[in-house]
Amino acid sequence: MSKCDLRISLARPDRTYAPGETVSGEVAVTVNQAVKSKGLDVTLQWRTHGRGNTARGAKTVQALFQGEWNAG
């Protein structure tokens, strides 16, 4: 059994954002055993897709948590 479960929910169900818009949502962690976390990061990267139109932007990493999680 895993020590923790992660759930990521974005504010927009279609997960589509235009350039310059704020991406918001929630990261929920459920812990069933004490565990030390070296780090929980979220990475943001834009991309386009389509016929002849594919590109990716640079990744931006945001640290969310580092430390110990306790069950309950």
Side-chain angles (χ1 to χ4, degrees), residues 32-66:
N32 53 34
Q33 288 182 9
V35 62
K36 183 172 181 166
S37 171
K38 292 181 182 177
L40 175 62
D41 299 336
V42 65
T43 303
L44 174 69
Q45 181 182 32
W46 65 265
R47 70 178 184 197
T48 62
H49 58 89
R51 193 172 192 172
N53 182 23
T54 60
R56 288 179 189 250
K59 293 180 181 179
T60 302
V61 179
Q62 174 70 48
L64 298 180
F65 181 81
Q66 182 178 359

Side-chain angles (χ1 to χ4, degrees), residues 3-50:
K3 293 182 181 178
C4 64
D5 294 309
L6 298 174
R7 183 179 52 82
I8 301 170
S9 301
L10 295 177
R12 294 187 185 170
D14 65 358
R15 302 182 325 248
T16 302
Y17 295 85
E21 288 186 312
T22 299
V23 177
S24 61
E26 179 180 90
V27 177
V29 180
T30 304
V31 180
N32 53 34
Q33 288 182 9
V35 62
K36 183 172 181 166
S37 171
K38 292 181 182 177
L40 175 62
D41 299 336
V42 65
T43 303
L44 174 69
Q45 181 182 32
W46 65 265
R47 70 178 184 197
T48 62
H49 58 89

